[in-house]
């Protein structure tokens, strides 16, 4: 809230209070002025009669208008009461106006009885009903009975006393039978009886008033009480015989009318907004709180006083007094009986609730303890035996401080003192967690909710030892590697940050080692992931045993580990560098020792990068430097230690800049498309061309696909990471579109040679690639059937073969040829042959390179080519660079070859010249194909048929 708003909210109550005070002062001035005038006789008898009659009439009419107007502004159960008060005041005002008409206007004595008396008698009944409306309604039938009994106890007692003092004489006068005595006596009796009824309701309402709009109700009660008091004085024989209009008695009626007129509006002005929540009141004083209960006995005492007055005066006890007294006593007996029954019911209910709460406390799994202000335990629930292992009786009387762990005691005392000093409304409870001594001498983690209790404390405690242990386990799991239990990257980074700050901020001899296990992937691929996990556990144990007690060994992920070697404060940087290099080399030797895994001996090497905490370096920069040094060690031949040097970062920056330029190379037209011929090993004819991309950078450097993809794989971290899928996908899309477009142009020029484009299975099923993009591309460029060969690479076991089979079948129906790339290596070659519509097999470059030198590879290659021949497929050998490879592959039945033995990648001009020539010389001369899978002309003629699973005959 802004300052002006706060000031505004502060001024509003002050303004409302000032107006209410002004109204009260005005009310006091007017009432006091009327009283002074009445006491002085108003200066003349005529003015006294006018003020005594019409002044009271004006005040009554003002009260009627005020109550009526207020009743129209509210919409609640109080509205009828204020309407009745308005009618009652109207009757009083009319009675005074009629009285003045006789006295002032006509100059005659007011007849008895008169219409004025009728109006005055109509004043009390509406007021009585209005008070009943304002009373708090009982909740049950017994409450209504008690309300009636209380009213009769008060009214009957007042009637007994009044009858004994004055009313009996009026009744005897009426019985005398004198002319005019009966109406006069009846009128004399009616006034006090109605006043008694009104007084009874005022007293009853005082103890049963509603909580809503208390100020207005209290003011209205005071106004009616003042009016009744004036009526009582008027009906007394002493004043009634000497009464004249304008006397001091009229000031009571006048003040009562003004007070009733002020009641609703004055209370509203004093409370302009909704009543604020009342603060918790202190316990009521005994006398004030006992007044409602003493009311029946006080009424009985008044009744007894009236009877005693008759007895002491020596008069015969009046039958009215006896009858009224008996009814009062009977009402008192009935009310006491109802109260007794209520007390019995309340006692039983209290006992049930006490038993209920005792059962809850005793059956609760939480321990409830009450401690005195001195800290002594006064009560301990039976649950202590199950939670603390100590009986409740044993704990009662002991000091709470003796149960708390000494290391936690100071914190607990400080929290308790702070809690007791805080206001109860702001902080009703607090929570404390500490360790309690159990009966077995163990320390239990206990959580307690603390409340105030008579200057002491109530503690609701529960054992949270298992939760604390679980939290510690979760914290440990969040900061440690689940396989090796070494600190993970997050904890290691925090340890590095702590080593670079605090007291060690000026120690620049702290070093970080990044360790990578060379050859670990081969272990996973050859003997399985379970063996790889065992190797990592053993490597972590060796690393943990090799570092010092204060140092930190961690596993960062995969086969990457790290070590934090804390500095010793040495200022000789060369000596410290030599020492840390020696530690790193010892680690390398230890980690490179043979591992015994599942009964087999496994060897891996370790490449380690070392970086020192230079002045002002951040933890992330220090870890990055060690990471760069580790990758330099791997690039330098592996199984070595490399110290970080600033030029490593410069090289990373250069590669990052090169990768940044690669991002815009496609848009700037820096990529070029080359084609390498696929030649028939039987005739030397060009049977297809393979599309290959080249990047000619702005510096004139021509990068091969392997080179620029390696650049593309450099991330901002400065070392190789996962290739950017979006960049690779954009390059693949460009390669396919350019290859199809140029192939269409060659076909229109008369060179009907298929073009082969390499594509991964993941890329073919990529959702970002539209489903009909290949089909739309063929249609748009007008490429005929059989002119496009997709060299499919299936290297990821997560590729869904069902989706891939459906996608390839759709392309196959359009005449797109499918070649299985990398046959003989990678994943699921046999599954791909069994399920996918493959037209040709493309041998992996690794098989071709060693086919001449290695008899083992020779046999493997021959077996694969035999599979291709048995399935009726063409076979293409990639990377055929030597004449010996050509002759060996042709002898084994390979139908086509691609490599430097025939031609390297050609631009479009040289490619067309080669296509015009049509053939390349084949080492060893042309020969007929050795296998039935080849075609006499050497062109790629595909045998189409069923692509369901084909049985392979035994070799």
């Amino acid at each position: 809230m802004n300052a002006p708003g706060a000031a505004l909210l502060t001024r509003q109550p002050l303004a409302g209070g000032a107006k209410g005070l002004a109204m009260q002062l005005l009310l006091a001035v007017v009432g006091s002025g009327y009283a002074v005038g009445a006491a002085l006789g108003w200066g003349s008898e005529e003015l006294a009669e006018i003020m005594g009659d019409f002044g009271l009439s004006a005040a009554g009419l003002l009260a009627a208008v005020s109550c009526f107007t207020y009743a129209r502004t509210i919409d609640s159960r109080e509205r009828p009461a204020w309407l009745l008060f308005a009618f009652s005041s109207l009757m009083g005002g009319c009675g005074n106006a009629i009285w003045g008409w006789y006295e002032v206007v006509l100059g005659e004595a007011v007849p008895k009885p008169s219409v004025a008396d009728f109006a005055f008698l109509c004043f009390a009944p509406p007021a009585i009903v209005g008070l009943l409306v304002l009373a708090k309604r009982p909740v049950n039938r017994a409450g209504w009975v008690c309300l009636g009994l209380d009213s009769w106890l008060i009214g009957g007692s007042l009637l007994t006393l009044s009858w004994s003092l004055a009313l009996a004489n009026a009744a005897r006068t009426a019985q005398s039978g004198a002319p005019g005595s009966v109406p006069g006596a009846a009128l004399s009796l009616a006034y006090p009886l109605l006043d008694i009824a009104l007084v009874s309701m005022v007293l009853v309402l005082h103890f049963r008033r509603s909580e809503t709009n208390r100020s207005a109700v209290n003011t209205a009660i005071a106004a009616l009480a003042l009016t009744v008091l004036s009526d009582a004085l008027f009906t007394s024989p002493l004043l009634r015989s000497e009464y004249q209009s304008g006397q001091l008695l009229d000031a009571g009626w006048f003040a009562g009318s003004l007070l009733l007129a002020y009641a609703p509006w004055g209370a509203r002005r004093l409370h302009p907004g909704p009543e604020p929540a009342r603060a918790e009141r202190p316990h009521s004083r005994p006398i004030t709180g006992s007044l409602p209960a003493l009311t029946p006995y006080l009424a009985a005492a008044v009744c007894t006083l009236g009877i005693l007055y008759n007895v002491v005066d020596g008069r015969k006890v009046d039958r009215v007094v006896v009858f009224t007294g008996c009814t009062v006593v009977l009402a008192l007996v009935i009310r006491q009986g109802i109260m007794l029954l209520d007390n019995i019911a309340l006692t039983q209910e209290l006992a049930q609730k006490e038993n209920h709460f005792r059962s809850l406390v005793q059956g609760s799994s939480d321990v409830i303890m009450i401690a005195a202000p001195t800290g002594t335990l006064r009560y301990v629930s039976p649950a202590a035996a199950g939670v603390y292992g100590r009986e409740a009786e044993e704990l009662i009387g002991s000091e709470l401080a003796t149960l708390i762990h000494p290391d936690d005691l100071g914190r607990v005392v400080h929290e308790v003192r702070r809690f007791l000093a805080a206001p109860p409304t702001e902080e009703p409870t607090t929570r404390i967690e500490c360790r309690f001594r159990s009966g077995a001498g163990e320390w239990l983690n206990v959580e307690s909710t603390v409340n105030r209790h008579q200057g002491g404390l109530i503690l609701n405690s529960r054992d949270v030892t298992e939760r604390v242990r679980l939290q510690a386990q979760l914290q440990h799991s969040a900061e440690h590697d689940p396989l090796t239990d070494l600190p993970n990257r997050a904890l290691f980074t925090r340890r590095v940050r702590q080593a670079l700050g605090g007291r060690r901020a000026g120690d620049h001899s702290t070093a970080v080692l990044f360790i990578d296990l060379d050859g670990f992937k081969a272990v996973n691929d050859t003997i399985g992931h379970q063996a790889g996990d065992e190797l990592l556990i053993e490597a972590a144990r060796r690393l943990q045993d090799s570092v010092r007690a204060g140092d930190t060994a961690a596993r960062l992920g995969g086969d990457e580990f790290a070590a934090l070697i804390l500095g010793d404060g040495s200022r000789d940087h060369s000596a410290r560098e030599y020492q840390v290099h020696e530690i790193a080399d010892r680690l390398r030797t230890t980690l490179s020792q043979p591992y015994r895994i599942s009964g087999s001996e496994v060897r891996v090497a370790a490449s380690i990068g070392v970086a020192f905490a230079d002045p002002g370096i951040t933890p992330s920069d220090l870890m990055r430097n060690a990471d760069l040094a580790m990758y330099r060690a791997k690039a330098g031949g592996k199984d070595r230690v490399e110290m970080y040097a600033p030029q490593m970062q410069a090289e990373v920056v250069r590669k990052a800049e090169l990768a940044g330029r690669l991002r815009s190379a496609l848009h700037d037209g820096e990529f070029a498309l080359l084609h390498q011929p696929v030649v028939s090993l039987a005739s030397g004819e060009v049977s297809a061309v393979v599309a290959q991309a080249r990047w000619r950078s702005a510096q004139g450097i021509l990068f091969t696909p392997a080179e620029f993809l390696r650049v593309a794989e450099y991330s901002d971290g400065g070392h190789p990471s996962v290739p950017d899928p979006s960049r690779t996908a954009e390059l693949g899309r460009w390669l396919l579109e350019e290859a199809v477009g140029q192939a269409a142009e060659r076909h229109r020029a008369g060179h009907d040679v298929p073009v082969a484009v390499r594509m991964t299975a993941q890329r073919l099923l990529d959702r970002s690639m539209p489903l009909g993009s290949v089909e739309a591309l063929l249609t748009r460029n007008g490429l005929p059937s059989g002119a496009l060969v997709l060299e499919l690479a299936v290297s990821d076991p997560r590729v869904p073969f069902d989706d891939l089979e459906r996608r390839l079948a759709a392309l196959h129906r359009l005449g797109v040829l499918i070649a299985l790339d990398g046959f003989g290596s990678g994943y699921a070659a046999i599954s791909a042959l069994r399920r996918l519509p493959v037209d040709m097999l493309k041998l992996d470059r690794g098989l071709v390179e060693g086919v001449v030198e290695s008899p083992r590879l020779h046999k493997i290659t021959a077996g694969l080519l035999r599979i291709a021949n048995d399935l009726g497929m063409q076979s293409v050998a990639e990377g055929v660079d030597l004449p010996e490879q050509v002759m060996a592959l042709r002898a084994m039945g390979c139908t086509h070859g691609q490599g430097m033995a025939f031609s390297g990648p050609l631009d479009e001009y040289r490619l067309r010249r080669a296509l015009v020539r049509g053939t390349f010389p084949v080492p060893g001369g042309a020969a007929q194909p050795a296998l039935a899978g080849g075609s006499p002309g050497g062109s790629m003629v595909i045998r189409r048929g069923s692509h369901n699973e084909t049985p392979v005959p035994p070799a």
Side-chain angles (χ1 to χ4, degrees):
M1 183 183 296
N2 53 19
L8 180 62
L9 290 180
T10 306
R11 286 196 298 267
Q12 285 177 348
L14 293 178
K19 292 180 180 179
L21 182 61
M23 290 185 63
Q24 292 175 0
L25 291 176
L26 179 62
L27 182 67
V29 169
V30 174
S32 301
Y34 191 94
V36 171
L40 298 178
W42 296 104
S44 66
E45 292 184 2
E46 184 178 359
L47 180 59
E49 291 179 349
I50 293 175
M51 295 303 296
D53 294 334
F54 293 109
L56 292 181
S57 177
L61 293 177
L62 176 63
V65 172
S66 175
C67 293
F68 179 76
T69 306
Y70 176 70
R72 294 187 61 185
T73 62
I74 62 175
D75 186 15
S76 63
R77 61 178 295 264
E78 297 179 5
R79 185 175 184 179
W82 292 102
L83 289 174
L84 290 169
F85 290 156
F87 180 75
S88 178
S89 300
L90 178 63
M91 290 296 100
C94 291
N96 282 292
I98 296 172
W99 195 289
W101 174 262
Y102 282 105
E103 285 190 340
V104 177
V105 178
L106 299 180
E108 300 176 357
V110 180
K112 296 182 181 179
S114 67
V115 180
D117 292 320
F118 174 78
F120 287 143
L121 290 176
C122 290
F123 172 83
I128 293 172
V129 177
L131 290 174
L132 285 174
V133 173
L134 290 178
K136 184 188 296 183
R137 295 182 179 179
V139 296
N140 51 27
R141 185 176 301 175
W144 285 104
V145 174
C146 288
L147 176 61
L149 292 175
D150 289 344
S151 301
W152 173 243
L153 283 171
I154 296 173
S157 301
L158 294 177
L159 176 61
T160 303
L161 184 60
S162 301
W163 188 271
S164 301
L165 293 176
L167 298 182
N169 293 329
R172 283 193 291 270
T173 303
Q175 292 175 356
S176 63
S181 61
V182 175
L187 188 61
S188 300
L189 291 175
Y191 278 114
L193 290 177
L194 289 175
D195 288 339
I196 288 172
L198 189 57
V199 169
S200 302
M201 294 313 305
V202 167
L203 292 176
V204 171
L205 181 61
H206 175 70
F207 300 118
R208 293 179 177 268
R209 60 186 180 273
S210 176
E211 295 295 327
T212 58
N213 204 3
R214 292 175 62 92
S215 299
V217 174
N218 289 336
T219 307
I221 292 175
L224 294 175
L226 187 58
T227 303
V228 170
L229 178 61
S230 300
D231 288 344
L233 293 175
F234 173 75
T235 56
S236 64
L238 181 61
L239 292 181
R240 183 176 179 85
S241 59
E242 299 180 357
Y243 171 76
Q244 292 182 358
S245 297
Q247 291 183 350
L248 187 61
L249 183 60
D250 291 346
W253 285 315
F254 184 82
S257 297
L258 290 184
L259 199 60
L260 187 59
Y262 166 79
W265 307 103
R268 173 174 282 192
R269 290 183 180 274
L270 286 173
H271 300 280
E275 293 187 6
R278 292 184 176 87
E280 183 177 353
R281 294 183 177 179
H283 294 288
S284 301
R285 289 175 295 178
I287 295 178
T288 305
S290 302
L291 282 178
L294 293 176
T295 300
Y297 304 102
L298 293 176
V302 171
C303 181
T304 304
L305 186 62
I307 297 174
L308 289 176
Y309 177 80
N310 278 274
V311 174
V312 173
D313 196 33
R315 291 180 296 177
K316 182 181 178 181
V317 178
D318 195 294
R319 286 178 295 178
V320 174
V321 173
V322 174
F323 177 78
T324 306
C326 291
T327 55
V328 168
V329 172
L330 180 61
L332 180 61
V333 171
I334 295 175
R335 193 183 188 286
Q336 288 300 107
I338 293 175
M339 291 181 60
L340 180 61
L341 294 177
D342 285 344
N343 289 336
I344 294 175
L346 288 175
T347 303
Q348 293 176 350
E349 183 180 358
L350 181 62
Q352 291 177 356
K353 290 183 177 180
E354 184 178 355
N355 293 332
H356 174 70
F357 284 109
R358 182 182 290 110
S359 301
L360 289 178
V361 171
Q362 294 181 353
S364 174
S365 59
D366 293 351
V367 181
I368 300 175
M369 300 182 294
I370 300 178
T374 58
T376 304
L377 294 177
R378 293 178 175 175
Y379 172 80
V380 180
S381 65
V387 176
Y388 299 149
R390 304 175 68 175
E391 295 296 332
E393 293 76 7
E394 178 186 350
L395 293 174
I396 295 176
S398 60
E399 296 292 333
L400 185 61
T402 60
L403 304 175
I404 301 175
H405 195 282
D407 295 342
D408 300 340
L409 184 58
R411 175 174 54 83
V412 172
V413 171
H414 174 75
E415 175 62 20
V416 169
R417 288 177 177 174
R418 184 202 64 77
F419 170 66
L420 293 177
T425 55
E426 296 181 4
E427 191 173 4
T429 63
T430 188
R431 183 164 296 186
I432 296 176
E433 188 169 335
C434 59
R435 286 168 288 180
F436 267 42
R437 185 190 300 276
S438 68
E442 302 176 350
W443 292 104
L444 304 176
N445 294 93
V446 175
E447 181 185 68
S448 302
T449 301
V450 184
N451 295 270
R452 299 173 181 83
H453 176 68
Q454 298 179 359
L457 300 172
I458 296 180
L459 295 93
N460 189 353
S461 307
R462 63 197 62 85
D463 184 7
V464 294
T465 304
E466 290 301 323
R467 191 194 72 186
V468 172
R469 290 176 181 171
L470 179 60
Q471 288 177 344
Q473 292 176 0
L474 293 176
Q475 183 70 19
H476 182 84
S477 300
E479 296 180 341
H480 290 75
D481 176 60
L483 179 65
T484 62
D485 203 38
L486 289 180
N488 58 14
R489 184 181 293 272
L491 180 57
F492 184 76
T493 303
R494 186 161 69 251
R495 296 273 178 88
V496 173
R497 185 178 296 109
Q498 293 172 354
L500 297 182
R503 295 183 295 104
R504 297 182 175 273
D507 188 0
H508 307 310
S509 59
T510 297
V512 170
L513 280 61
F514 266 45
I515 307 163
D516 185 83
L517 300 181
D518 303 320
F520 175 74
K521 185 178 183 303
V523 174
N524 271 342
D525 294 341
T526 54
I527 60 178
H529 290 276
Q530 180 65 33
D533 291 344
E534 294 179 14
L535 189 150
L536 290 176
I537 294 173
E538 176 63 21
R541 187 191 61 78
R542 294 184 186 182
L543 179 61
Q544 184 67 47
D545 294 342
S546 300
V547 299
R548 301 173 302 179
D551 298 335
T552 300
R555 182 191 178 204
L556 304 183
D559 60 342
E560 290 189 359
F561 295 85
L564 172 64
I565 310 298
L566 297 179
D568 55 2
S570 175
R571 297 185 179 273
D572 189 347
H573 186 70
S574 299
R576 179 60 176 169
E577 184 176 329
Y578 175 79
Q579 180 185 6
V580 173
H581 190 282
E582 188 178 43
I583 294 174
D585 195 64
R586 187 168 63 251
L587 283 175
R588 180 194 61 79
T589 303
T590 301
L591 294 174
S592 300
Q593 294 295 325
Y595 294 83
R596 197 72 181 175
I597 305 297
S598 301
S600 302
E601 187 176 278
V602 179
R603 288 182 178 271
V604 294
S607 297
I608 302 178
V610 183
F612 283 92
D614 297 330
I617 196 171
T618 63
S620 59
D621 290 342
L622 178 60
M623 296 173 65
R624 182 203 60 195
N625 293 345
D627 201 11
L628 291 176
M630 184 265 290
Y631 274 96
R632 174 58 65 90
K634 293 179 71 69
K638 302 181 180 180
D639 193 16
R640 53 182 294 172
V641 176
E642 190 75 32
M643 309 295 290
Y644 171 77
Q647 57 267 24
M648 296 181 184
Q649 180 63 22
E651 182 180 353
V652 170
V653 171
R654 182 187 65 82
K655 291 181 178 180
E657 292 176 352
L658 191 61
R661 290 197 297 269
L662 177 61
R663 295 188 186 99
S664 59
L666 275 174
H667 304 285
D668 296 341
E670 296 180 6
F671 275 94
L673 190 64
L674 302 181
H675 294 83
Q676 189 173 21
V678 176
V679 179
S680 170
L681 299 184
S683 62
E685 293 182 1
V686 178
S687 56
V689 292
V690 179
Q692 298 178 356
R694 293 291 187 273
W695 175 35
R696 187 180 300 277
S697 68
Q699 291 76 20
I701 304 174
L702 191 66
F703 292 98
T704 64
E707 292 170 336
F708 64 69
L709 285 177
R710 191 182 307 117
V711 172
E713 290 172 6
Y714 269 81
S715 66
D716 296 335
H719 58 77
S721 64
V722 179
D724 185 357
S726 61
R727 199 177 312 155
T728 306
E730 186 177 5
L731 180 60
R733 189 161 47 247
W734 175 86
L735 177 61
L736 180 61
E737 292 177 355
E738 287 292 316
V740 171
Q742 293 187 17
E745 293 181 1
R746 287 194 296 273
H747 274 267
R748 285 191 288 269
H751 303 293
D752 299 331
V753 179
V755 60
V757 180
R758 189 176 187 274
M759 180 177 292
T760 63
Q762 294 88 339
R763 173 60 186 154
L764 190 62
L765 297 177
D766 190 2
R767 294 184 178 180
S768 62
M769 182 177 179
L771 187 60
S773 58
V774 177
E775 294 86 339
L777 185 63
L778 295 175
T779 304
R780 186 171 62 249
N781 290 275
L783 198 64
S785 175
L788 175 63
V789 180
L790 288 183
E791 296 182 349
L792 187 67
V794 184
S795 59
D796 192 340
R798 295 171 297 181
V799 172
F801 264 91
D802 294 337
D803 297 343
L804 183 59
E805 184 178 4
R806 286 192 294 268
R807 182 75 178 113
L808 291 179
L811 293 174
H812 209 261
R813 285 193 294 269
L814 293 177
V816 178
L817 306 180
I818 308 300
L820 186 60
D821 190 27
F823 189 67
S825 68
Y827 168 78
I830 299 300
S831 297
L833 278 179
R834 181 174 62 88
R835 301 187 58 182
L836 302 181
V838 178
D839 298 307
M840 64 187 71
L841 301 178
K842 193 167 186 180
L843 293 178
D844 184 73
R845 180 184 293 269
L847 296 176
V848 176
E849 288 176 351
V851 70
V852 177
E853 296 83 1
S854 172
R856 185 180 183 86
L857 286 181
H858 189 279
K859 293 181 180 180
I860 293 174
T861 305
L864 295 176
L865 290 173
R866 189 177 299 110
I867 292 175
N869 174 57
D870 291 342
L871 295 178
M873 297 181 182
Q874 298 285 344
S875 55
V876 180
E878 183 181 6
V880 182
D881 299 332
L882 301 175
E884 295 83 0
Q885 296 171 345
V886 175
M887 291 184 289
L889 290 169
R890 186 173 60 183
M892 286 185 286
C894 184
T895 59
H896 296 80
Q898 170 191 345
M900 297 303 295
F902 305 104
S903 173
L906 305 174
D907 57 20
E908 188 65 20
Y909 174 73
R910 291 183 174 84
L911 176 62
R912 295 204 177 193
R913 290 183 57 187
L915 293 178
V916 171
R917 187 172 63 249
T919 59
F920 286 93
V922 178
Q928 293 297 324
L931 299 175
S935 59
S939 60
M940 287 188 175
V941 178
I942 308 302
R943 291 184 180 177
R944 301 189 181 276
S946 174
H947 292 284
N948 296 328
E949 182 175 356
T950 304
V952 180

